[in-house]
């Protein structure tokens, strides 16, 4: 009987341990310049907050390519597309222990894009005018302007609220 009680307690403890580890909060990090938290899991959702590169968030749920997250600093909860998040901790002020050398070919393939020198060489080899593209890339567009554009063009659900 004593052995049976110990076995039951051991199994119960194991189940509690497994439940607690599966419910443990997973931390993700914003891997884009400005990660937008939306009220719904859609690009047309209303922006609740914007998180800077490297901010940490808690994963609350998954729905397709969208993640329901809570900002650990701003305490805002909403949806962010998986492309704006990473499981890898982002180090903004690295120490010598954090720094690893990257091969140049990996840098060119990275999400940051080509280096300024490579861009310049490409522009010189083509007859395209990139000044307008560069100007557009540097023109800020507010979330309110995007929502107004969507509503006026009757796109999607008109800004999804």
């Amino acid at each position: 009987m004593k052995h049976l009680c110990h076995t039951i307690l051991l199994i119960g403890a194991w189940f509690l341990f497994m439940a607690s580890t599966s419910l443990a909060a997973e931390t993700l990090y914003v891997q884009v310049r400005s990660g937008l938290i939306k009220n719904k899991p859609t690009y047309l959702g209303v922006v609740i907050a914007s998180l800077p590169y490297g901010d940490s968030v808690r994963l609350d749920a998954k729905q397709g390519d969208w993640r329901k997250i809570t900002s650990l600093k701003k305490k805002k909860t909403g949806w962010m597309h998986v492309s704006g998040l990473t499981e890898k901790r982002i180090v903004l002020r690295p120490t010598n222990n954090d720094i690893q050398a990257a091969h140049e070919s990996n840098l060119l393939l990275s999400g940051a894009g080509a280096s300024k020198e490579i861009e310049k060489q490409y522009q010189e080899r083509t007859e395209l005018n990139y000044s307008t593209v560069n100007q557009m890339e540097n023109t800020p567009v507010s979330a309110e302007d995007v929502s107004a554009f969507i509503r006026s063009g009757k796109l999607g659900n008109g800004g999804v609220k």
Side-chain angles (χ1 to χ4, degrees):
M1 183 70 171
K2 199 174 197 182
H3 179 67
L4 180 61
C5 288
H6 285 336
T7 304
I8 291 172
L9 282 173
L10 186 60
I11 292 171
W14 182 79
F15 275 112
L16 285 173
F17 172 75
M18 293 306 290
S20 67
T21 57
S22 67
L23 295 176
E26 182 180 350
T27 301
L28 300 173
Y29 302 91
V30 177
Q31 68 174 354
V32 291
R33 186 182 327 165
S34 179
L36 301 179
I37 299 179
K38 306 273 189 158
N39 69 330
K40 295 184 184 274
T42 172
Y43 285 112
L44 300 177
V46 175
V47 175
I48 296 171
S50 176
L51 303 178
Y53 177 79
D55 256 18
S56 54
V57 299
R58 182 187 71 227
L59 176 62
D60 297 328
K62 296 178 181 181
Q63 184 176 326
D65 286 340
W66 291 86
R67 302 296 178 258
K68 186 171 187 181
I69 51 105
T70 299
S71 165
L72 299 180
K73 288 183 183 176
K74 293 186 177 182
K75 306 297 183 206
K76 297 284 185 176
T77 299
W79 295 89
M80 189 178 292
H81 193 266
V82 70
S83 63
L85 298 166
T86 182
E87 294 176 353
K88 295 179 182 176
R89 183 175 67 93
I90 295 175
V91 180
L92 296 178
R93 292 192 180 120
T95 65
N96 288 340
N97 294 335
D98 297 314
I99 298 172
Q100 296 177 355
H103 190 271
E104 183 179 351
S105 62
N106 289 335
L107 292 177
L108 295 177
L109 295 173
S110 72
S115 68
K116 293 289 182 191
E117 294 81 26
I118 300 293
E119 277 188 28
K120 186 175 180 182
Q121 288 174 6
Y122 183 77
Q123 290 174 5
E124 289 171 354
R125 284 189 275 164
T126 64
E127 295 181 16
L128 300 174
N129 180 354
Y130 287 89
S131 62
T132 304
V133 173
N134 292 336
Q135 183 180 3
M136 286 175 46
E137 287 180 334
N138 293 320
T139 303
V141 180
S142 71
E144 292 80 22
D145 288 344
V146 171
S147 288
F149 176 80
I150 291 169
R151 281 192 303 277
S152 68
K154 298 181 180 161
L155 304 173
N157 293 329
V160 182
K161 297 213 179 206

